Amino acid sequence: METALKPGRDVSRQRDKPQAKKKRPRRYWEKETAPTAPAASPGPPRRNKRKRKPLPQKPGNTHTPKKPRVLKKPREQRNSEPQRSLSGAQDPFPGPAPVPAEVAQKFRRIDKSKKLPHSKSKTRSRLEAAEAEEEEVSVKAARSELLLAEEPGYLEGEDGEDTAKILQADIVEAVDIASAAKHFDLNLRQFGPYRLSYSQTGRHLALGGRRGHVAALDWVTKRLLCEINVMEAVRDIRFLHSEALLAVAQNRWLHIYDNQGIELHCVRRCDRVTRLEFLPFHFLLATASETGFLTYLDVSVGKIVTALNARAGRLDVMTQNPYNAVIHLGHSNGIVSLWSPAVKEPLAKILCHRGAVRAVAVDPTGMYMATSGLDHQLKIFDLRGTFQPLSARTLPQGAGHLAFSQRGLLAAGMGDVVNTWTGQGKASPPSLEKPYLTHRLSGHVHGLQFCPFEDVLGVGHSGGVTSMLVPGAAEPNFDGLESNPYRSRKQRQEWEVKALLDKVPAELICLDPRALAEVDVISLEQAKKERIERLGYDPESKAPFQPKPKQKGRSSTASLVKRKRKVMDEEHRDKVRQGLQQQQQQKGDKAAKPVGTWLSALDRFVH
């Protein structure tokens, strides 16, 4: 309950005492100024109101000239002034960080050395906009390369030491604990020999023993997903688009299992299968059989796309080209044939060896192919249109299995020995002069595959499975949106949906994928001819000359015919003139060539 103040001395003292105000703190936009009158309070500066001057009155009949147009400065020039932050400090390095041209060139996909074709202005503007966008994307990718913490490395010996003499035990002792755990041996002699397959992310491993043992595990954490015995010979095993599905080539038919070991499908149209290859961007499972048929199975819809008869007997050597998804088959006559589901005949045939082909492998860039045969020859071929051998090496024992890594290392299994060769870089062929690493196993090799994104080589042999450490074999950084080894189940399901939406049709598989972006001139001309035959005339041909009517009696029939005849004669003269110029040019070319005399049969002995 409030009480009223009693009239007295206290009231008079409060009236006489001036009310003292608290000092207001200075803001960051205010400057230190001299203290003004005590009644003035600090605050943001007030804007002085402009006094509007009275506008002069325009006389009625006077003409005022227009003011000149003031061009605005471009945005780059307006922002070129040094920007200040709220604290007033100036950025010593304004603007985005510069990117070296060499680094940006690595991510650029458009060749600027080629000039743009002479086309319409609208098309040309679109091409220029696409080039500008590509340039911006390459610069952003080069700038974000700093976030890639891992770098590829190689094994180097001290003072000229041969790296092939370094044992796996020495490498395990030198590396850290996490990398040393990636080297292990699985002793499975009871069900061997083994074939193996890594998933696309490189996190899961599938094993298939000749005596029916099938297992899938997370080889990093050593967690077993499933383990079954199919009670039938297993010839090959392969992961499909994810680690949730597994294709097993059994003695009679092709079977599909999930990661829990439950049989989902039995494809009886694919019988006596010897080798399996999965095309991830097309969702196609390619199978090679004893009967000589190459079959393509679309796993997204469960239908057979095509079955091609190679007419070369039993097929037990098969691999894929990761660049263009072309299947390479090795035959007993020393020929390697290249196949596409869109063509019933082989795209190309390459004579590689004098004996049967034992193994074939293609590097990830699609430029080089390695083959080995019964003649103990190991050859590297150039696949960029020439199909010529680049290098060859005679091995003391022929290589029965070959595999390329993500960075171009080549591994070959010869009996119970695994040799690895390396090149100058990712896009260079491996040098066969000196092996990079050598390792001896406890059994004969029956399967080789490099693990994606890990410096690990998986070897299946008659004694089980061995995981070797091969420094510098894999890409050190992975794309989290494409192949993420740490993705969850929900992320995997979302990735599957996106991959199915981006599925590439099987009809687009060809030797040169860049040809899909070019114009098919032959088909275009054929369509034009069919259109002319259907319509009875050429709609794109030049319209005949029709003279315009003139006045004052100059549009008579005779004058119209005369003008038409004049235009026809001019066109005829132009054609004759062009024909004469071509004839003269051909005669000049013939005269420039030296005309040699007839040689006799005795001229071969004259030097």
Side-chain angles (χ1 to χ4, degrees):
M1 185 173 180
E2 296 181 0
T3 58
L5 293 175
K6 297 180 179 180
R9 298 178 180 178
D10 296 337
V11 179
S12 61
R13 288 178 183 177
Q14 289 182 4
R15 289 178 181 177
D16 298 339
K17 186 178 179 180
Q19 296 179 0
K21 294 185 178 180
K22 294 183 179 180
K23 187 177 180 181
R24 184 176 177 183
R26 185 174 62 87
R27 306 300 182 185
Y28 63 85
W29 63 77
E30 298 173 348
K31 297 181 180 180
E32 294 182 359
T33 56
T36 56
S41 61
R46 298 181 179 178
R47 295 181 180 179
N48 297 328
K49 296 183 179 181
R50 296 180 180 178
K51 295 181 180 181
R52 294 183 179 180
K53 298 181 180 180
L55 297 176
Q57 295 181 358
K58 298 180 182 180
N61 297 330
T62 58
H63 174 71
T64 57
K66 294 183 179 180
K67 295 182 179 180
R69 185 179 179 183
V70 180
L71 298 177
K72 294 183 179 181
K73 294 182 179 180
R75 187 173 299 176
E76 298 177 356
Q77 296 181 6
R78 282 183 282 173
N79 297 337
S80 60
E81 299 178 359
Q83 298 180 357
R84 294 180 178 273
S85 60
L86 294 177
S87 62
Q90 183 178 352
D91 187 5
F93 305 101
V99 178
E102 297 80 7
V103 181
Q105 180 65 29
K106 183 171 62 174
F107 298 95
R108 190 172 291 120
R109 299 181 181 179
I110 295 179
D111 188 7
K112 284 195 171 183
S113 61
K114 297 181 181 179
K115 296 183 179 179
L116 293 175
H118 296 285
S119 57
K120 297 181 180 179
S121 59
K122 190 174 182 180
T123 306
R124 190 175 183 84
S125 62
R126 288 181 178 177
L127 293 175
E128 291 176 353
E131 282 191 358
E133 185 178 359
E134 175 66 24
E135 180 71 20
E136 183 181 358
V137 170
S138 62
V139 171
K140 287 184 179 180
R143 186 175 288 114
S144 62
E145 192 181 16
L146 298 173
L147 303 176
L148 304 180
E150 302 294 336
E151 293 183 358
Y154 285 99
L155 187 64
E156 295 182 358
E158 296 181 356
D159 299 332
E161 181 184 2
D162 189 5
T163 57
K165 297 181 180 179
I166 300 177
L167 303 179
Q168 286 290 310
D170 300 335
I171 298 176
V172 170
E173 291 180 1
V175 299
D176 57 292
I177 299 176
S179 300
K182 298 175 183 177
H183 171 70
F184 57 87
D185 288 313
L186 298 180
N187 189 2
L188 302 169
R189 290 187 176 275
Q190 183 179 358
F191 303 103
Y194 275 85
R195 297 278 298 177
L196 53 85
S197 172
Y198 286 99
S199 61
Q200 293 184 28
T201 60
R203 187 64 185 263
H204 298 83
L205 174 64
L207 312 175
R210 182 65 61 87
R211 299 178 185 176
H213 181 218
V214 175
L217 71 153
D218 184 346
W219 70 271
V220 178
T221 60
K222 310 300 187 294
R223 182 174 61 90
L224 186 65
L225 299 179
C226 68
E227 186 178 14
I228 58 175
N229 197 309
V230 298
M231 305 300 293
E232 195 177 6
V234 175
R235 299 182 177 181
D236 202 0
I237 190 169
R238 192 70 56 183
F239 272 116
L240 298 186
H241 55 276
S242 69
E243 61 273 8
L245 292 177
L246 193 64
V248 181
Q250 297 179 198
N251 187 32
R252 192 170 183 183
W253 295 311
L254 174 66
H255 296 259
I256 308 295
Y257 297 89
D258 66 352
N259 55 2
Q260 302 299 323
I262 301 174
E263 182 179 350
L264 302 179
H265 303 285
C266 177
V267 186
R268 300 192 177 186
R269 290 190 59 184
C270 301
D271 59 334
R272 303 290 180 182
V273 177
T274 57
R275 289 292 178 266
L276 296 174
E277 284 291 340
F278 182 71
L279 309 179
F281 299 105
H282 305 77
F283 283 80
L284 293 178
L285 180 64
T287 63
S289 63
E290 290 181 350
T291 56
F293 276 87
L294 174 62
T295 307
Y296 288 88
L297 173 65
D298 191 343
V299 298
S300 62
V301 295
K303 293 184 179 180
I304 300 292
V305 176
T306 183
L308 306 175
N309 188 0
R311 301 183 184 89
R314 175 188 172 95
L315 301 178
D316 54 358
V317 178
M318 180 175 69
T319 189
Q320 65 164 312
N321 189 338
Y323 174 66
N324 52 18
V326 172
I327 295 295
H328 294 232
L329 297 178
H331 306 291
S332 58
N333 54 1
I335 291 178
V336 174
S337 58
L338 281 62
W339 294 85
S340 169
V343 185
K344 294 185 178 181
E345 296 297 329
L347 302 175
K349 289 184 177 182
I350 309 172
L351 180 60
C352 300
H353 299 276
R354 290 177 292 179
V357 179
R358 296 186 62 188
V360 180
V362 182
D363 77 322
T365 61
M367 297 183 183
Y368 308 106
M369 177 182 67
T371 61
S372 65
L374 288 178
D375 55 357
H376 293 191
Q377 289 282 329
L378 176 60
K379 296 182 179 181
I380 306 295
F381 285 85
D382 189 358
L383 296 180
R384 293 171 291 183
T386 58
F387 302 111
Q388 296 296 325
L390 299 177
S391 59
R393 179 185 176 88
T394 302
L395 302 176
Q397 188 177 2
H401 300 273
L402 298 173
F404 270 101
S405 73
Q406 289 181 324
R407 295 192 61 83
L409 272 69
L410 175 63
M414 302 168 290
D416 59 346
V417 178
V418 176
N419 282 357
T420 308
W421 292 273
T422 181
Q424 299 297 329
K426 183 178 179 181
S428 63
S431 176
L432 303 180
E433 297 179 0
K434 188 177 179 181
Y436 176 56
L437 280 177
T438 302
H439 183 62
R440 186 175 294 275
L441 304 168
S442 60
H444 287 266
V445 179
H446 282 267
L448 285 176
Q449 187 178 359
F450 281 95
C451 180
F453 310 108
E454 294 287 350
D455 292 340
V456 170
L457 172 62
V459 184
H461 49 87
S462 57
V465 176
T466 299
S467 178
M468 292 176 50
L469 296 181
V470 184
E475 287 289 343
N477 301 286
F478 59 86
D479 186 359
L481 299 178
E482 182 63 27
S483 299
N484 186 4
Y486 307 106
R487 64 189 179 189
S488 62
R489 182 179 180 182
K490 186 67 176 178
Q491 290 174 335
R492 177 176 57 82
Q493 293 174 352
E494 292 179 357
W495 175 85
E496 287 180 1
V497 174
K498 294 179 181 179
L500 285 171
L501 293 176
D502 296 337
K503 174 185 170 184
V504 182
E507 294 80 11
L508 300 182
I509 297 178
C510 57
L511 279 178
D512 189 7
R514 296 173 297 179
L516 300 175
E518 299 177 357
V519 179
D520 191 356
V521 180
I522 299 177
S523 300
L524 188 64
E525 293 179 354
Q526 182 67 23
K528 186 177 179 180
K529 290 181 181 178
E530 293 177 356
R531 185 183 181 188
I532 293 173
E533 293 176 357
R534 184 173 65 253
L535 297 177
Y537 67 95
D538 187 4
E540 298 180 1
S541 62
K542 186 178 178 181
F545 174 72
Q546 291 292 339
K548 295 182 180 180
K550 295 184 178 180
Q551 298 178 355
K552 298 182 180 180
R554 288 184 293 177
S555 296
S556 61
T557 305
S559 62
L560 293 177
V561 172
K562 186 177 180 181
R563 285 155 58 189
K564 287 184 180 180
R565 176 64 63 182
K566 184 178 180 181
V567 172
M568 292 174 60
D569 291 344
E570 289 180 356
E571 294 178 354
H572 181 67
R573 289 193 199 96
D574 294 340
K575 291 182 180 180
V576 172
R577 193 178 295 109
Q578 292 177 2
L580 292 175
Q581 289 178 358
Q582 292 179 359
Q583 291 179 3
Q584 292 177 0
Q585 186 176 1
Q586 293 177 359
K587 289 180 180 180
D589 295 342
K590 291 181 180 179
K593 296 180 180 180
V595 180
T597 58
W598 292 99
L599 300 178
S600 64
L602 300 177
D603 288 339
R604 70 183 67 179
F605 304 105
V606 180
H607 298 288

